[in-house]
Short mmCIF file of all heavy atoms in Angstrom, two decimals:
data_model
loop_
_atom_site.label_atom_id
_atom_site.label_comp_id
_atom_site.label_asym_id
_atom_site.label_seq_id
_atom_site.Cartn_x
_atom_site.Cartn_y
_atom_site.Cartn_z
N GLN A 302 -5.26 21.50 -25.13
CA GLN A 302 -6.43 21.32 -26.09
C GLN A 302 -6.02 21.76 -27.35
O GLN A 302 -5.58 22.97 -27.56
CB GLN A 302 -7.63 22.11 -25.62
CG GLN A 302 -8.00 21.64 -24.17
CD GLN A 302 -9.38 22.29 -23.79
OE1 GLN A 302 -9.98 23.20 -24.48
NE2 GLN A 302 -9.84 22.03 -22.57
N TYR A 303 -6.12 21.01 -28.52
CA TYR A 303 -5.92 21.40 -29.92
C TYR A 303 -7.36 21.31 -30.58
O TYR A 303 -8.10 20.38 -30.27
CB TYR A 303 -5.03 20.59 -30.54
CG TYR A 303 -3.63 20.44 -29.79
CD1 TYR A 303 -3.29 19.33 -29.03
CD2 TYR A 303 -2.70 21.54 -29.95
CE1 TYR A 303 -2.07 19.21 -28.33
CE2 TYR A 303 -1.53 21.34 -29.26
CZ TYR A 303 -1.13 20.33 -28.47
OH TYR A 303 -0.02 20.18 -27.77
N THR A 304 -7.58 22.14 -31.46
CA THR A 304 -8.71 22.00 -32.28
C THR A 304 -8.41 21.04 -33.39
O THR A 304 -7.19 20.90 -33.83
CB THR A 304 -9.37 23.23 -32.91
OG1 THR A 304 -8.35 23.80 -33.92
CG2 THR A 304 -9.58 24.45 -31.82
N TYR A 305 -9.50 20.37 -33.77
CA TYR A 305 -9.35 19.37 -35.01
C TYR A 305 -8.64 20.07 -36.20
O TYR A 305 -7.71 19.63 -36.86
CB TYR A 305 -10.70 18.84 -35.25
CG TYR A 305 -10.70 18.05 -36.56
CD1 TYR A 305 -10.42 16.56 -36.63
CD2 TYR A 305 -11.02 18.82 -37.74
CE1 TYR A 305 -10.40 16.04 -37.79
CE2 TYR A 305 -11.05 17.86 -39.07
CZ TYR A 305 -10.86 16.64 -38.94
OH TYR A 305 -10.81 16.06 -40.13
N THR A 306 -9.15 21.29 -36.45
CA THR A 306 -8.77 22.04 -37.69
C THR A 306 -7.20 22.41 -37.58
O THR A 306 -6.49 22.09 -38.46
CB THR A 306 -9.53 23.23 -37.77
OG1 THR A 306 -10.91 22.97 -37.81
CG2 THR A 306 -9.23 24.00 -39.07
N GLU A 307 -6.81 22.84 -36.36
CA GLU A 307 -5.32 23.18 -36.11
C GLU A 307 -4.57 21.85 -36.49
O GLU A 307 -3.49 21.96 -37.00
CB GLU A 307 -5.36 23.51 -34.66
CG GLU A 307 -4.11 23.94 -33.98
CD GLU A 307 -4.33 24.35 -32.61
OE1 GLU A 307 -5.51 24.33 -32.05
OE2 GLU A 307 -3.36 24.52 -31.84
N LEU A 308 -4.97 20.71 -35.87
CA LEU A 308 -4.09 19.48 -35.96
C LEU A 308 -4.05 19.09 -37.43
O LEU A 308 -3.08 18.54 -37.90
CB LEU A 308 -4.68 18.47 -35.05
CG LEU A 308 -4.38 18.56 -33.75
CD1 LEU A 308 -4.65 17.19 -32.87
CD2 LEU A 308 -2.85 19.09 -33.38
N VAL A 309 -5.16 19.14 -38.15
CA VAL A 309 -5.18 18.64 -39.52
C VAL A 309 -4.14 19.55 -40.39
O VAL A 309 -3.38 18.96 -41.15
CB VAL A 309 -6.65 18.80 -40.16
CG1 VAL A 309 -6.55 18.63 -41.70
CG2 VAL A 309 -7.56 17.77 -39.60
N GLU A 310 -4.10 20.81 -40.02
CA GLU A 310 -3.12 21.74 -40.77
C GLU A 310 -1.83 21.22 -40.46
O GLU A 310 -0.88 21.10 -41.28
CB GLU A 310 -3.31 23.21 -40.39
CG GLU A 310 -4.40 23.84 -41.22
CD GLU A 310 -4.62 25.15 -40.63
OE1 GLU A 310 -3.91 25.82 -39.82
OE2 GLU A 310 -5.92 25.60 -40.93
N LYS A 311 -1.55 20.99 -39.14
CA LYS A 311 -0.18 20.52 -38.67
C LYS A 311 0.25 19.23 -39.37
O LYS A 311 1.31 19.07 -39.84
CB LYS A 311 -0.13 20.25 -37.04
CG LYS A 311 0.23 21.55 -36.32
CD LYS A 311 0.60 21.16 -34.95
CE LYS A 311 0.55 22.39 -34.04
NZ LYS A 311 0.49 22.21 -32.73
N MET A 312 -0.74 18.37 -39.50
CA MET A 312 -0.54 16.98 -40.03
C MET A 312 -0.21 17.15 -41.61
O MET A 312 0.76 16.52 -42.03
CB MET A 312 -1.65 16.00 -39.80
CG MET A 312 -1.69 15.70 -38.39
SD MET A 312 -3.38 15.00 -37.96
CE MET A 312 -3.35 13.40 -38.67
N GLN A 313 -1.03 18.02 -42.15
CA GLN A 313 -0.77 18.29 -43.67
C GLN A 313 0.64 18.83 -43.85
O GLN A 313 1.44 18.40 -44.84
CB GLN A 313 -1.83 19.22 -44.28
CG GLN A 313 -3.13 18.53 -44.36
CD GLN A 313 -4.25 19.49 -44.73
OE1 GLN A 313 -4.15 20.76 -44.52
NE2 GLN A 313 -5.34 18.91 -45.17
N ASN A 314 1.04 19.80 -43.07
CA ASN A 314 2.39 20.39 -43.09
C ASN A 314 3.51 19.32 -42.90
O ASN A 314 4.53 19.42 -43.29
CB ASN A 314 2.62 21.53 -42.07
CG ASN A 314 1.70 22.57 -42.51
OD1 ASN A 314 1.42 22.82 -43.60
ND2 ASN A 314 1.48 23.59 -41.61
N ALA A 315 3.18 18.33 -42.12
CA ALA A 315 4.12 17.15 -41.79
C ALA A 315 4.03 16.10 -42.89
O ALA A 315 4.64 15.10 -42.72
CB ALA A 315 3.85 16.60 -40.32
N GLY A 316 3.13 16.32 -43.84
CA GLY A 316 3.12 15.29 -44.98
C GLY A 316 2.08 14.27 -44.90
O GLY A 316 2.06 13.33 -45.65
N ALA A 317 1.17 14.53 -43.88
CA ALA A 317 0.00 13.50 -43.75
C ALA A 317 -1.06 13.73 -44.98
O ALA A 317 -1.22 14.88 -45.43
CB ALA A 317 -0.63 13.62 -42.46
N LYS A 318 -1.69 12.59 -45.44
CA LYS A 318 -2.65 12.92 -46.50
C LYS A 318 -4.08 13.28 -45.87
O LYS A 318 -4.98 13.48 -46.82
CB LYS A 318 -2.82 11.55 -47.26
CG LYS A 318 -1.51 11.16 -48.15
CD LYS A 318 -1.82 10.17 -49.11
CE LYS A 318 -0.56 9.61 -49.80
NZ LYS A 318 0.09 8.67 -48.82
N THR A 319 -4.12 13.43 -44.70
CA THR A 319 -5.46 13.75 -43.99
C THR A 319 -6.07 15.07 -44.62
O THR A 319 -5.40 16.01 -44.77
CB THR A 319 -5.16 13.84 -42.53
OG1 THR A 319 -4.38 12.79 -42.07
CG2 THR A 319 -6.50 14.04 -41.88
N LYS A 320 -7.34 14.95 -44.92
CA LYS A 320 -8.10 16.12 -45.42
C LYS A 320 -9.05 16.57 -44.37
O LYS A 320 -9.51 15.56 -43.44
CB LYS A 320 -8.93 15.67 -46.65
CG LYS A 320 -8.15 15.36 -47.90
CD LYS A 320 -8.97 15.25 -49.12
CE LYS A 320 -10.04 14.10 -48.96
NZ LYS A 320 -9.60 12.81 -48.73
N TRP A 321 -9.48 17.75 -44.24
CA TRP A 321 -10.40 18.24 -43.30
C TRP A 321 -11.77 17.43 -43.47
O TRP A 321 -12.21 17.31 -44.60
CB TRP A 321 -10.89 19.78 -43.58
CG TRP A 321 -11.47 20.35 -42.35
CD1 TRP A 321 -10.77 20.99 -41.34
CD2 TRP A 321 -12.75 20.35 -41.97
NE1 TRP A 321 -11.69 21.41 -40.42
CE2 TRP A 321 -12.93 21.02 -40.68
CE3 TRP A 321 -13.98 19.87 -42.62
CZ2 TRP A 321 -14.19 21.15 -40.07
CZ3 TRP A 321 -15.16 19.92 -41.91
CH2 TRP A 321 -15.21 20.60 -40.62
N GLY A 322 -12.12 16.83 -42.40
CA GLY A 322 -13.52 16.04 -42.47
C GLY A 322 -13.04 14.57 -42.16
O GLY A 322 -13.90 13.80 -41.77
N ASP A 323 -11.77 14.13 -42.43
CA ASP A 323 -11.40 12.71 -42.19
C ASP A 323 -11.20 12.39 -40.69
O ASP A 323 -11.10 13.36 -39.91
CB ASP A 323 -9.94 12.56 -42.82
CG ASP A 323 -10.00 12.49 -44.31
OD1 ASP A 323 -11.05 12.50 -44.97
OD2 ASP A 323 -8.95 12.46 -44.86
N ASP A 324 -11.34 11.22 -40.38
CA ASP A 324 -10.99 10.75 -38.97
C ASP A 324 -9.54 10.91 -38.86
O ASP A 324 -8.76 10.89 -39.94
CB ASP A 324 -11.54 9.36 -38.76
CG ASP A 324 -11.57 8.94 -37.36
OD1 ASP A 324 -11.26 9.85 -36.42
OD2 ASP A 324 -12.03 7.81 -36.92
N LEU A 325 -8.99 10.97 -37.64
CA LEU A 325 -7.54 11.11 -37.57
C LEU A 325 -6.96 9.80 -37.09
O LEU A 325 -7.36 9.46 -35.92
CB LEU A 325 -7.19 12.24 -36.49
CG LEU A 325 -7.81 13.60 -36.68
CD1 LEU A 325 -7.26 14.70 -35.74
CD2 LEU A 325 -7.37 14.06 -38.16
N TYR A 326 -6.20 9.06 -38.10
CA TYR A 326 -5.88 7.68 -37.62
C TYR A 326 -4.48 7.77 -37.04
O TYR A 326 -3.71 8.76 -37.29
CB TYR A 326 -5.82 6.86 -38.98
CG TYR A 326 -7.25 6.76 -39.53
CD1 TYR A 326 -7.58 7.44 -40.77
CD2 TYR A 326 -8.07 5.78 -38.91
CE1 TYR A 326 -8.95 7.22 -41.21
CE2 TYR A 326 -9.25 5.62 -39.45
CZ TYR A 326 -9.67 6.31 -40.65
OH TYR A 326 -10.95 6.30 -41.11
N PRO A 327 -4.29 6.77 -36.17
CA PRO A 327 -2.92 6.81 -35.46
C PRO A 327 -1.80 6.89 -36.34
O PRO A 327 -0.89 7.71 -35.93
CB PRO A 327 -2.98 5.37 -34.67
CG PRO A 327 -4.48 5.01 -34.57
CD PRO A 327 -5.05 5.82 -35.59
N SER A 328 -1.83 6.25 -37.47
CA SER A 328 -0.66 6.30 -38.43
C SER A 328 -0.42 7.71 -38.82
O SER A 328 0.76 8.10 -39.06
CB SER A 328 -0.91 5.37 -39.55
OG SER A 328 -2.01 5.77 -40.34
N GLN A 329 -1.41 8.50 -39.17
CA GLN A 329 -1.33 9.82 -39.60
C GLN A 329 -0.83 10.85 -38.42
O GLN A 329 -0.11 11.69 -38.60
CB GLN A 329 -2.63 10.26 -40.25
CG GLN A 329 -3.04 9.52 -41.37
CD GLN A 329 -2.05 9.52 -42.50
OE1 GLN A 329 -1.66 10.53 -43.04
NE2 GLN A 329 -1.53 8.35 -42.84
N LEU A 330 -1.54 10.45 -37.17
CA LEU A 330 -1.24 11.28 -36.09
C LEU A 330 0.24 11.27 -35.62
O LEU A 330 0.80 12.15 -35.19
CB LEU A 330 -2.11 11.00 -34.86
CG LEU A 330 -3.48 11.55 -34.71
CD1 LEU A 330 -4.20 10.93 -33.53
CD2 LEU A 330 -3.23 13.09 -34.28
N LYS A 331 0.75 10.10 -35.82
CA LYS A 331 2.23 9.88 -35.35
C LYS A 331 3.10 10.90 -36.14
O LYS A 331 4.12 11.22 -35.58
CB LYS A 331 2.60 8.46 -35.88
CG LYS A 331 2.29 7.40 -34.86
CD LYS A 331 3.23 6.09 -35.16
CE LYS A 331 3.00 5.19 -34.04
NZ LYS A 331 1.87 4.33 -34.08
N LYS A 332 2.60 11.29 -37.31
CA LYS A 332 3.58 12.33 -38.09
C LYS A 332 3.75 13.55 -37.22
O LYS A 332 4.74 14.33 -37.49
CB LYS A 332 2.98 12.63 -39.41
CG LYS A 332 2.87 11.48 -40.27
CD LYS A 332 2.79 11.77 -41.76
CE LYS A 332 3.16 10.89 -42.87
NZ LYS A 332 2.52 9.64 -43.00
N ILE A 333 2.83 13.95 -36.34
CA ILE A 333 3.15 15.26 -35.63
C ILE A 333 3.52 14.97 -34.25
O ILE A 333 3.62 15.99 -33.52
CB ILE A 333 1.82 16.19 -35.72
CG1 ILE A 333 0.55 15.43 -35.14
CG2 ILE A 333 1.74 16.81 -37.03
CD1 ILE A 333 -0.58 16.38 -35.07
N ASN A 334 3.73 13.70 -33.98
CA ASN A 334 4.55 13.33 -32.60
C ASN A 334 3.88 14.04 -31.34
O ASN A 334 4.82 14.56 -30.52
CB ASN A 334 5.99 13.90 -32.86
CG ASN A 334 6.91 12.78 -33.05
OD1 ASN A 334 6.60 11.60 -32.62
ND2 ASN A 334 7.91 13.00 -33.84
N LEU A 335 2.67 13.99 -31.16
CA LEU A 335 2.14 14.52 -29.84
C LEU A 335 2.23 13.42 -28.98
O LEU A 335 1.93 12.28 -29.17
CB LEU A 335 0.67 14.94 -30.05
CG LEU A 335 0.42 16.19 -31.01
CD1 LEU A 335 -0.97 16.39 -31.28
CD2 LEU A 335 0.99 17.40 -30.15
N THR A 336 2.71 13.64 -27.59
CA THR A 336 2.86 12.82 -26.70
C THR A 336 2.13 13.08 -25.52
O THR A 336 1.65 14.21 -25.34
CB THR A 336 4.26 12.65 -26.27
OG1 THR A 336 4.78 13.87 -25.86
CG2 THR A 336 5.25 12.07 -27.51
N GLY A 337 1.86 12.21 -24.53
CA GLY A 337 1.13 12.48 -23.30
C GLY A 337 -0.28 12.65 -23.53
O GLY A 337 -0.80 12.24 -24.63
N PHE A 338 -0.89 13.17 -22.60
CA PHE A 338 -2.41 13.52 -22.67
C PHE A 338 -2.69 14.82 -23.36
O PHE A 338 -2.09 15.82 -23.17
CB PHE A 338 -2.99 13.48 -21.23
CG PHE A 338 -2.89 12.32 -20.40
CD1 PHE A 338 -1.87 12.16 -19.56
CD2 PHE A 338 -3.79 11.22 -20.71
CE1 PHE A 338 -1.75 10.97 -18.75
CE2 PHE A 338 -3.82 10.02 -19.96
CZ PHE A 338 -2.80 9.95 -19.07
N TYR A 339 -3.58 14.73 -24.34
CA TYR A 339 -4.13 16.09 -24.98
C TYR A 339 -5.56 15.90 -25.43
O TYR A 339 -5.98 14.73 -25.61
CB TYR A 339 -3.12 16.46 -25.96
CG TYR A 339 -3.04 15.57 -27.14
CD1 TYR A 339 -3.64 15.79 -28.32
CD2 TYR A 339 -2.15 14.47 -27.11
CE1 TYR A 339 -3.60 14.87 -29.40
CE2 TYR A 339 -1.99 13.52 -28.13
CZ TYR A 339 -2.75 13.76 -29.21
OH TYR A 339 -2.54 12.73 -30.39
N PHE A 340 -6.27 16.94 -25.66
CA PHE A 340 -7.64 16.88 -26.20
C PHE A 340 -7.55 17.31 -27.62
O PHE A 340 -6.92 18.25 -27.89
CB PHE A 340 -8.58 17.78 -25.56
CG PHE A 340 -8.87 17.30 -24.14
CD1 PHE A 340 -8.49 17.96 -22.94
CD2 PHE A 340 -9.74 16.34 -23.73
CE1 PHE A 340 -8.85 17.50 -21.68
CE2 PHE A 340 -10.18 15.76 -22.67
CZ PHE A 340 -9.72 16.50 -21.51
N ILE A 341 -8.28 16.59 -28.49
CA ILE A 341 -8.69 17.20 -29.82
C ILE A 341 -10.14 17.58 -29.80
O ILE A 341 -11.02 16.71 -29.58
CB ILE A 341 -8.50 16.06 -30.87
CG1 ILE A 341 -7.02 15.44 -30.79
CG2 ILE A 341 -8.54 16.71 -32.34
CD1 ILE A 341 -6.72 14.39 -31.94
N LYS A 342 -10.41 18.84 -30.00
CA LYS A 342 -11.75 19.30 -29.87
C LYS A 342 -12.39 19.97 -31.08
O LYS A 342 -11.51 20.16 -31.99
CB LYS A 342 -11.88 20.18 -28.64
CG LYS A 342 -11.17 21.47 -28.73
CD LYS A 342 -11.44 22.38 -27.63
CE LYS A 342 -10.79 23.76 -27.85
NZ LYS A 342 -11.06 24.79 -26.84
N ASP A 343 -13.62 20.13 -31.12
CA ASP A 343 -14.35 20.76 -32.28
C ASP A 343 -14.18 19.97 -33.56
O ASP A 343 -13.73 20.49 -34.58
CB ASP A 343 -13.86 22.21 -32.48
CG ASP A 343 -14.06 23.01 -31.17
OD1 ASP A 343 -14.66 22.48 -30.30
OD2 ASP A 343 -13.45 24.17 -31.03
N TRP A 344 -14.47 18.68 -33.52
CA TRP A 344 -14.52 17.81 -34.66
C TRP A 344 -15.43 18.18 -35.74
O TRP A 344 -16.59 18.67 -35.40
CB TRP A 344 -14.68 16.42 -34.22
CG TRP A 344 -13.52 15.76 -33.39
CD1 TRP A 344 -13.23 16.04 -32.20
CD2 TRP A 344 -12.60 14.88 -33.84
NE1 TRP A 344 -12.20 15.40 -31.78
CE2 TRP A 344 -11.75 14.53 -32.87
CE3 TRP A 344 -12.54 14.06 -35.13
CZ2 TRP A 344 -10.77 13.61 -32.99
CZ3 TRP A 344 -11.41 13.12 -35.17
CH2 TRP A 344 -10.59 12.92 -34.16
N PRO A 345 -15.26 17.78 -36.91
CA PRO A 345 -16.22 18.04 -38.04
C PRO A 345 -17.60 17.30 -37.54
O PRO A 345 -17.51 16.24 -36.91
CB PRO A 345 -15.72 17.26 -39.25
CG PRO A 345 -14.33 17.20 -39.01
CD PRO A 345 -14.10 17.10 -37.53
N LEU A 346 -18.69 18.03 -37.82
CA LEU A 346 -19.93 17.51 -37.23
C LEU A 346 -20.46 16.21 -38.11
O LEU A 346 -20.94 15.32 -37.62
CB LEU A 346 -21.05 18.50 -37.53
CG LEU A 346 -22.55 18.18 -36.89
CD1 LEU A 346 -22.57 17.75 -35.48
CD2 LEU A 346 -23.50 19.31 -37.33
N ALA A 347 -20.20 16.32 -39.40
CA ALA A 347 -20.82 15.30 -40.33
C ALA A 347 -20.63 13.78 -39.83
O ALA A 347 -21.47 12.97 -39.72
CB ALA A 347 -20.33 15.37 -41.77
N PRO A 348 -19.32 13.34 -39.48
CA PRO A 348 -19.02 12.04 -39.11
C PRO A 348 -19.48 11.58 -37.73
O PRO A 348 -19.51 10.45 -37.36
CB PRO A 348 -17.57 11.75 -39.19
CG PRO A 348 -16.90 13.17 -39.22
CD PRO A 348 -18.00 14.14 -39.63
N LYS A 349 -19.92 12.71 -36.89
CA LYS A 349 -20.14 12.43 -35.54
C LYS A 349 -21.61 11.77 -35.38
O LYS A 349 -22.51 12.07 -36.24
CB LYS A 349 -20.22 13.72 -34.69
CG LYS A 349 -18.76 14.20 -34.37
CD LYS A 349 -18.16 13.42 -33.30
CE LYS A 349 -16.56 13.56 -33.40
NZ LYS A 349 -15.99 12.44 -32.44
N PRO A 350 -21.82 10.99 -34.28
CA PRO A 350 -23.24 10.50 -34.12
C PRO A 350 -24.31 11.55 -34.09
O PRO A 350 -24.02 12.74 -33.83
CB PRO A 350 -23.11 9.78 -32.80
CG PRO A 350 -21.68 9.62 -32.53
CD PRO A 350 -20.91 10.64 -33.34
N PHE A 351 -25.58 11.16 -34.27
CA PHE A 351 -26.72 12.01 -34.40
C PHE A 351 -26.91 13.00 -33.20
O PHE A 351 -27.55 14.04 -33.31
CB PHE A 351 -28.02 11.39 -34.88
CG PHE A 351 -28.46 10.28 -33.87
CD1 PHE A 351 -29.13 10.85 -32.78
CD2 PHE A 351 -28.28 8.93 -34.03
CE1 PHE A 351 -29.61 9.88 -31.86
CE2 PHE A 351 -28.68 8.16 -33.21
CZ PHE A 351 -29.44 8.55 -32.05
N TYR A 352 -26.57 12.51 -32.02
CA TYR A 352 -26.81 13.19 -30.72
C TYR A 352 -25.88 14.26 -30.63
O TYR A 352 -25.98 15.08 -29.53
CB TYR A 352 -27.10 12.24 -29.60
CG TYR A 352 -25.89 11.25 -29.65
CD1 TYR A 352 -24.61 11.65 -29.01
CD2 TYR A 352 -25.91 9.98 -30.06
CE1 TYR A 352 -23.54 10.83 -28.90
CE2 TYR A 352 -24.86 9.17 -29.94
CZ TYR A 352 -23.57 9.68 -29.42
OH TYR A 352 -22.54 8.80 -29.33
N VAL A 353 -24.75 14.41 -31.24
CA VAL A 353 -23.78 15.40 -30.96
C VAL A 353 -24.22 16.82 -31.37
O VAL A 353 -24.63 16.92 -32.57
CB VAL A 353 -22.38 14.93 -31.63
CG1 VAL A 353 -21.39 16.05 -31.50
CG2 VAL A 353 -21.94 13.61 -30.99
N LYS A 354 -23.98 17.73 -30.69
CA LYS A 354 -24.33 19.16 -30.88
C LYS A 354 -23.40 19.95 -31.85
O LYS A 354 -22.24 19.83 -31.67
CB LYS A 354 -24.49 19.94 -29.58
CG LYS A 354 -25.37 21.17 -29.73
CD LYS A 354 -25.70 21.63 -28.24
CE LYS A 354 -26.89 22.67 -28.40
NZ LYS A 354 -27.68 22.79 -27.18
N ALA A 355 -23.95 20.72 -32.85
CA ALA A 355 -23.15 21.62 -33.54
C ALA A 355 -22.67 22.76 -32.75
O ALA A 355 -23.31 23.10 -31.84
CB ALA A 355 -23.94 21.94 -34.81
N LYS A 356 -21.47 23.31 -33.23
CA LYS A 356 -21.05 24.62 -32.49
C LYS A 356 -22.02 25.69 -32.97
O LYS A 356 -22.38 25.79 -34.19
CB LYS A 356 -19.69 24.86 -33.05
CG LYS A 356 -18.64 23.85 -32.29
CD LYS A 356 -17.29 24.51 -32.15
CE LYS A 356 -17.26 25.58 -31.18
NZ LYS A 356 -15.88 25.97 -30.76
N SER A 357 -22.27 26.54 -32.07
CA SER A 357 -23.28 27.60 -32.35
C SER A 357 -22.64 28.60 -33.53
O SER A 357 -23.35 29.09 -34.22
CB SER A 357 -23.72 28.41 -31.16
OG SER A 357 -22.50 28.76 -30.38
N ASP A 358 -21.31 28.71 -33.47
CA ASP A 358 -20.77 29.84 -34.38
C ASP A 358 -20.25 29.07 -35.77
O ASP A 358 -19.76 29.76 -36.51
CB ASP A 358 -19.50 30.43 -33.77
CG ASP A 358 -18.52 29.48 -33.26
OD1 ASP A 358 -18.77 28.30 -33.29
OD2 ASP A 358 -17.43 29.94 -32.92
N ASN A 359 -20.31 27.73 -35.86
CA ASN A 359 -19.90 27.08 -37.02
C ASN A 359 -20.62 25.65 -37.18
O ASN A 359 -20.15 24.77 -36.50
CB ASN A 359 -18.36 26.94 -37.05
CG ASN A 359 -17.89 26.30 -38.27
OD1 ASN A 359 -18.58 25.77 -39.01
ND2 ASN A 359 -16.57 26.12 -38.40
N ASP A 360 -21.56 25.60 -37.86
CA ASP A 360 -22.35 24.35 -37.92
C ASP A 360 -21.70 23.13 -38.68
O ASP A 360 -22.35 22.19 -38.87
CB ASP A 360 -23.88 24.49 -38.30
CG ASP A 360 -23.98 25.05 -39.64
OD1 ASP A 360 -22.99 25.05 -40.44
OD2 ASP A 360 -25.15 25.35 -40.02
#
Side-chain angles (χ1 to χ4, degrees):
Q302 298 185 2
Y303 306 100
T304 65
Y305 168 88
T306 305
E307 180 184 351
L308 285 194
V309 168
E310 275 167 23
K311 273 195 191 161
M312 288 163 69
Q313 288 170 344
N314 291 339
K318 290 197 192 75
T319 311
K320 296 187 303 298
W321 199 94
D323 290 351
D324 200 356
L325 304 184
Y326 295 105
S328 60
Q329 303 296 304
L330 266 172
K331 275 202 170 77
K332 295 203 159 69
I333 51 171
N334 257 328
L335 288 171
T336 55
F338 295 98
Y339 62 97
F340 287 108
I341 307 177
K342 63 176 187 178
D343 303 350
W344 288 74
L346 181 66
K349 285 286 163 193
F351 63 78
Y352 50 79
V353 173
K354 195 169 198 152
K356 289 204 73 164
S357 51
D358 58 349
N359 176 353
D360 65 6

